Amino acid sequence: MTRAMTRVMRSRKPRSVASVALGVLVLVLCSALTVALLRSLFPGPDGPGRPGLYATGAPLLDGDGSWAATLPQPGRQPPAELMRGVLGCVPLFRWATTARAVPRGQVTLAYSVGASASRAAVVRGIRVVRGPAVPVPRGDDVGCAGLARDERLDAVTVARGKPVQPVRLSLDRAGARQEAALPVRAGGTATGLVTVTTAACTCAWWLELDVEENGRQVTVRVDDDGRPFTLAPPAAPLSSSADRESGAARPLSRAFGDPQPPQAGVSVAAALVANPDGWEAESDAPQDPAAAVGGEARLGGVACRRMYDSVLRAGGVPAADHELELRISGPPLVEGAVLDASVRLETVRPDAAERHRYSCARAGVDLIDPVDRPDIERHLFPNTLHALGPFPSGSLKHDPSWRPERGVGLSMPLAKDELFSFSRAGADGRGTFGISAVIAPEEATFGMTVEVTVTLPTGERASFTLSDHGKPFLLGPGRAMLDPAHQQDFVEPFAGPRARYQDRLREIP
């Protein structure tokens, strides 16, 4: 009896294990199906049931000079150092974006799509989705005038190997799908650009991408790290046409009271522009400008520009020859207008050789050789208040006992009784005229303002005092006549399609 029962029990034991294994398998399959169903009904940030497929987005400064935004809190002002024209507009743009300023009129977004390690994907279409209304922003307006461009746009072009135009979408016609073919290799990422506009919507929004992966189309959302983006209709313009047409980007803010309103239909803007092939800067404290370049040193023009911005952002002062660009706008095709302009010395600091000095030049440019600007005929030398150019000018004070400190409050002529004509009307219906001069300090660091008077043929006059957003334009001397105690020179690496070939040539003895 006992043996029989033992045989029965032994014969039943394997069947019990098989039954348990089958039950566990059924439960696992049911759980997997349940999770898949929940993911399809409630998609997470990585896409509808597609772990590894994701998309992110970041606003960019698009370069057309029309960027403007409103800070959300009344009374908040951007840091004063970001309003210095020599810094350009990118630092102010990034600060305003971090402060969650609401863009006005339009915003350009770079969106990146990442595919899983085992599957490639293709973006087939893109649409903008309008979310709920947001409160009208009440803070101060900030913006940019002139040609400003975020170097990350160049990085997208380099990655694609060709110029990339943003897809244009409108919140006033939200939901309309645009074709946007963007292949993404398995385990890789690809970046596209989109510009979203509005004329009437103060609202939240996000993007939806139609992505084809493994033969199946899924929808991936692009937002601001889990939150929607925001956009509001255009505000009253911050900049005049003269500001926008100035070659150098100028940060603008109503909080700082700049720019000045036009007079008699005339507006004027001025900017100090570094030489595109090389620059110098000075600083009271030691800095590490090379650290600002990061991993993008091989993008053409990025390394030196980032170094320059980093020194100035930390309180440094531009140095050596810079171009003073003066841009005037007014009634189109008006002839016989008269320009009077001068550069007034507001401050002088003589200890330039004792401060920390930095320079950077493009590959192939000698940092020691003086910069020759044959394209600009006017030259100003504030150390001696001497001006050279195609107008009656000369040295106001040039003797052996002269010291730059004695020039405070005096001016150098930039244009005197100079006849000019406004050009044909541009896109904004206004004519323009501009002059440039090279300012070349030799021994001291100067603070300068620009005084401009325009007299129209009708007899109307418009007078302006131009500054670097409420403060004098600051410019230090080049090192030609200095013996700097602290000097660091950098050379930008070769960049572009021939970079590897040129680098190899440099290695050949």
Side-chain angles (χ1 to χ4, degrees), residues 40 123 178 184 191 226 229 243 258 263 266 300 312 339 342 363 399 478 502:
S40 66
V123 178
Q178 292 282 342
V184 189
T191 302
F229 299 103
D243 290 309
D258 210 19
Q263 301 177 30
V266 175
L312 301 186
L339 173 64
S342 61
D399 60 59
Q502 290 171 321

PDB file of all heavy atoms in Angstrom, residues 40 123 178 184 191 226 229 243 258 263 266 300 312 339 342 363 399 478 502:
ATOM      1  N   SER A  40      -0.435  52.381 -23.819  1.00  0.00           N
ATOM      2  CA  SER A  40      -1.093  52.883 -25.028  1.00  0.00           C
ATOM      3  C   SER A  40      -2.177  53.890 -24.694  1.00  0.00           C
ATOM      4  O   SER A  40      -2.421  54.831 -25.451  1.00  0.00           O
ATOM      5  CB  SER A  40      -1.692  51.717 -25.825  1.00  0.00           C
ATOM      6  OG  SER A  40      -2.745  51.104 -25.093  1.00  0.00           O
ATOM      7  N   VAL A 123      11.024  60.775 -38.670  1.00  0.00           N
ATOM      8  CA  VAL A 123       9.968  61.756 -38.424  1.00  0.00           C
ATOM      9  C   VAL A 123       9.309  62.075 -39.759  1.00  0.00           C
ATOM     10  O   VAL A 123       9.975  62.469 -40.714  1.00  0.00           O
ATOM     11  CB  VAL A 123      10.541  63.037 -37.787  1.00  0.00           C
ATOM     12  CG1 VAL A 123       9.444  64.065 -37.581  1.00  0.00           C
ATOM     13  CG2 VAL A 123      11.227  62.722 -36.475  1.00  0.00           C
ATOM     14  N   GLN A 178       2.494  69.562 -40.953  1.00  0.00           N
ATOM     15  CA  GLN A 178       3.479  69.893 -41.977  1.00  0.00           C
ATOM     16  C   GLN A 178       4.401  68.693 -42.172  1.00  0.00           C
ATOM     17  O   GLN A 178       4.768  68.009 -41.208  1.00  0.00           O
ATOM     18  CB  GLN A 178       4.312  71.108 -41.553  1.00  0.00           C
ATOM     19  CG  GLN A 178       3.545  72.414 -41.495  1.00  0.00           C
ATOM     20  CD  GLN A 178       3.316  73.010 -42.871  1.00  0.00           C
ATOM     21  OE1 GLN A 178       3.990  72.653 -43.826  1.00  0.00           O
ATOM     22  NE2 GLN A 178       2.360  73.915 -42.974  1.00  0.00           N
ATOM     23  N   VAL A 184      16.347  59.107 -38.315  1.00  0.00           N
ATOM     24  CA  VAL A 184      17.125  58.946 -37.095  1.00  0.00           C
ATOM     25  C   VAL A 184      17.672  57.521 -37.079  1.00  0.00           C
ATOM     26  O   VAL A 184      16.890  56.562 -37.098  1.00  0.00           O
ATOM     27  CB  VAL A 184      16.268  59.188 -35.829  1.00  0.00           C
ATOM     28  CG1 VAL A 184      17.160  59.231 -34.592  1.00  0.00           C
ATOM     29  CG2 VAL A 184      15.452  60.468 -35.953  1.00  0.00           C
ATOM     30  N   THR A 191      18.337  66.349 -35.314  1.00  0.00           N
ATOM     31  CA  THR A 191      17.772  67.620 -34.868  1.00  0.00           C
ATOM     32  C   THR A 191      17.097  68.341 -36.018  1.00  0.00           C
ATOM     33  O   THR A 191      17.632  68.409 -37.124  1.00  0.00           O
ATOM     34  CB  THR A 191      18.866  68.521 -34.267  1.00  0.00           C
ATOM     35  OG1 THR A 191      19.484  67.845 -33.174  1.00  0.00           O
ATOM     36  CG2 THR A 191      18.278  69.834 -33.762  1.00  0.00           C
ATOM     37  N   GLY A 226       8.610  68.559 -19.841  1.00  0.00           N
ATOM     38  CA  GLY A 226       7.373  68.151 -19.197  1.00  0.00           C
ATOM     39  C   GLY A 226       6.329  69.241 -19.086  1.00  0.00           C
ATOM     40  O   GLY A 226       5.161  68.968 -18.786  1.00  0.00           O
ATOM     41  N   PHE A 229       5.405  74.948 -23.699  1.00  0.00           N
ATOM     42  CA  PHE A 229       5.992  76.247 -24.013  1.00  0.00           C
ATOM     43  C   PHE A 229       4.893  77.306 -23.960  1.00  0.00           C
ATOM     44  O   PHE A 229       3.708  76.992 -23.892  1.00  0.00           O
ATOM     45  CB  PHE A 229       6.624  76.216 -25.400  1.00  0.00           C
ATOM     46  CG  PHE A 229       7.743  75.226 -25.551  1.00  0.00           C
ATOM     47  CD1 PHE A 229       7.536  74.021 -26.213  1.00  0.00           C
ATOM     48  CD2 PHE A 229       8.999  75.493 -25.035  1.00  0.00           C
ATOM     49  CE1 PHE A 229       8.558  73.100 -26.360  1.00  0.00           C
ATOM     50  CE2 PHE A 229      10.032  74.571 -25.169  1.00  0.00           C
ATOM     51  CZ  PHE A 229       9.814  73.371 -25.835  1.00  0.00           C
ATOM     52  N   ASP A 243      18.362 100.452 -35.130  1.00  0.00           N
ATOM     53  CA  ASP A 243      18.902  99.400 -34.267  1.00  0.00           C
ATOM     54  C   ASP A 243      18.949  98.073 -35.005  1.00  0.00           C
ATOM     55  O   ASP A 243      19.934  97.341 -34.954  1.00  0.00           O
ATOM     56  CB  ASP A 243      18.019  99.232 -33.022  1.00  0.00           C
ATOM     57  CG  ASP A 243      18.121 100.406 -32.077  1.00  0.00           C
ATOM     58  OD1 ASP A 243      19.245 100.786 -31.738  1.00  0.00           O
ATOM     59  OD2 ASP A 243      17.074 100.939 -31.689  1.00  0.00           O
ATOM     60  N   ASP A 258      16.325 102.194 -22.896  1.00  0.00           N
ATOM     61  CA  ASP A 258      16.999 102.285 -24.175  1.00  0.00           C
ATOM     62  C   ASP A 258      16.240 101.432 -25.169  1.00  0.00           C
ATOM     63  O   ASP A 258      15.702 100.393 -24.771  1.00  0.00           O
ATOM     64  CB  ASP A 258      18.424 101.748 -24.041  1.00  0.00           C
ATOM     65  CG  ASP A 258      19.412 102.403 -24.989  1.00  0.00           C
ATOM     66  OD1 ASP A 258      19.123 103.485 -25.483  1.00  0.00           O
ATOM     67  OD2 ASP A 258      20.464 101.794 -25.229  1.00  0.00           O
ATOM     68  N   GLN A 263      13.300 111.017 -33.441  1.00  0.00           N
ATOM     69  CA  GLN A 263      12.999 112.442 -33.455  1.00  0.00           C
ATOM     70  C   GLN A 263      12.889 112.897 -34.902  1.00  0.00           C
ATOM     71  O   GLN A 263      13.726 112.548 -35.732  1.00  0.00           O
ATOM     72  CB  GLN A 263      14.106 113.244 -32.754  1.00  0.00           C
ATOM     73  CG  GLN A 263      14.336 112.866 -31.302  1.00  0.00           C
ATOM     74  CD  GLN A 263      15.494 113.654 -30.709  1.00  0.00           C
ATOM     75  OE1 GLN A 263      15.765 114.793 -31.107  1.00  0.00           O
ATOM     76  NE2 GLN A 263      16.195 113.058 -29.760  1.00  0.00           N
ATOM     77  N   VAL A 266      13.601 110.462 -37.467  1.00  0.00           N
ATOM     78  CA  VAL A 266      14.957 109.950 -37.582  1.00  0.00           C
ATOM     79  C   VAL A 266      15.290 109.133 -36.328  1.00  0.00           C
ATOM     80  O   VAL A 266      14.960 109.537 -35.206  1.00  0.00           O
ATOM     81  CB  VAL A 266      15.972 111.099 -37.742  1.00  0.00           C
ATOM     82  CG1 VAL A 266      17.403 110.572 -37.729  1.00  0.00           C
ATOM     83  CG2 VAL A 266      15.696 111.873 -39.025  1.00  0.00           C
ATOM     84  N   GLY A 300      33.314  76.610 -36.752  1.00  0.00           N
ATOM     85  CA  GLY A 300      33.977  77.810 -37.219  1.00  0.00           C
ATOM     86  C   GLY A 300      33.491  79.062 -36.528  1.00  0.00           C
ATOM     87  O   GLY A 300      32.302  79.362 -36.500  1.00  0.00           O
ATOM     88  N   LEU A 312      34.029  89.309 -21.289  1.00  0.00           N
ATOM     89  CA  LEU A 312      33.201  90.485 -21.093  1.00  0.00           C
ATOM     90  C   LEU A 312      32.077  90.221 -20.104  1.00  0.00           C
ATOM     91  O   LEU A 312      31.703  91.097 -19.317  1.00  0.00           O
ATOM     92  CB  LEU A 312      32.619  90.943 -22.435  1.00  0.00           C
ATOM     93  CG  LEU A 312      33.642  91.293 -23.519  1.00  0.00           C
ATOM     94  CD1 LEU A 312      32.952  91.860 -24.747  1.00  0.00           C
ATOM     95  CD2 LEU A 312      34.669  92.275 -23.005  1.00  0.00           C
ATOM     96  N   LEU A 339      24.890 115.556 -41.498  1.00  0.00           N
ATOM     97  CA  LEU A 339      25.271 114.785 -40.318  1.00  0.00           C
ATOM     98  C   LEU A 339      26.421 115.464 -39.589  1.00  0.00           C
ATOM     99  O   LEU A 339      27.430 115.831 -40.188  1.00  0.00           O
ATOM    100  CB  LEU A 339      25.706 113.376 -40.744  1.00  0.00           C
ATOM    101  CG  LEU A 339      26.299 112.490 -39.645  1.00  0.00           C
ATOM    102  CD1 LEU A 339      25.270 112.181 -38.560  1.00  0.00           C
ATOM    103  CD2 LEU A 339      26.864 111.197 -40.236  1.00  0.00           C
ATOM    104  N   SER A 342      30.241 113.136 -33.217  1.00  0.00           N
ATOM    105  CA  SER A 342      31.523 113.153 -32.524  1.00  0.00           C
ATOM    106  C   SER A 342      31.510 112.116 -31.417  1.00  0.00           C
ATOM    107  O   SER A 342      30.454 111.676 -30.961  1.00  0.00           O
ATOM    108  CB  SER A 342      31.818 114.544 -31.937  1.00  0.00           C
ATOM    109  OG  SER A 342      30.807 114.897 -30.997  1.00  0.00           O
ATOM    110  N   ALA A 363      42.380  80.690 -36.986  1.00  0.00           N
ATOM    111  CA  ALA A 363      43.535  79.946 -37.468  1.00  0.00           C
ATOM    112  C   ALA A 363      44.163  80.670 -38.662  1.00  0.00           C
ATOM    113  O   ALA A 363      43.465  81.145 -39.557  1.00  0.00           O
ATOM    114  CB  ALA A 363      43.107  78.529 -37.870  1.00  0.00           C
ATOM    115  N   ASP A 399      50.606 117.587 -28.074  1.00  0.00           N
ATOM    116  CA  ASP A 399      51.873 118.164 -27.665  1.00  0.00           C
ATOM    117  C   ASP A 399      52.568 117.196 -26.720  1.00  0.00           C
ATOM    118  O   ASP A 399      51.954 116.261 -26.211  1.00  0.00           O
ATOM    119  CB  ASP A 399      51.668 119.543 -27.013  1.00  0.00           C
ATOM    120  CG  ASP A 399      50.795 119.474 -25.786  1.00  0.00           C
ATOM    121  OD1 ASP A 399      51.166 118.750 -24.832  1.00  0.00           O
ATOM    122  OD2 ASP A 399      49.742 120.126 -25.762  1.00  0.00           O
ATOM    123  N   GLY A 478      45.185  98.364 -27.449  1.00  0.00           N
ATOM    124  CA  GLY A 478      45.881  97.174 -27.910  1.00  0.00           C
ATOM    125  C   GLY A 478      47.239  97.087 -27.242  1.00  0.00           C
ATOM    126  O   GLY A 478      47.711  98.037 -26.621  1.00  0.00           O
ATOM    127  N   GLN A 502      44.089  70.278 -43.081  1.00  0.00           N
ATOM    128  CA  GLN A 502      44.950  71.390 -42.665  1.00  0.00           C
ATOM    129  C   GLN A 502      45.716  71.044 -41.393  1.00  0.00           C
ATOM    130  O   GLN A 502      46.881  71.401 -41.247  1.00  0.00           O
ATOM    131  CB  GLN A 502      44.088  72.644 -42.478  1.00  0.00           C
ATOM    132  CG  GLN A 502      43.562  73.188 -43.799  1.00  0.00           C
ATOM    133  CD  GLN A 502      42.550  74.283 -43.589  1.00  0.00           C
ATOM    134  OE1 GLN A 502      41.722  74.214 -42.689  1.00  0.00           O
ATOM    135  NE2 GLN A 502      42.603  75.303 -44.407  1.00  0.00           N
TER     136      GLN A 502
END
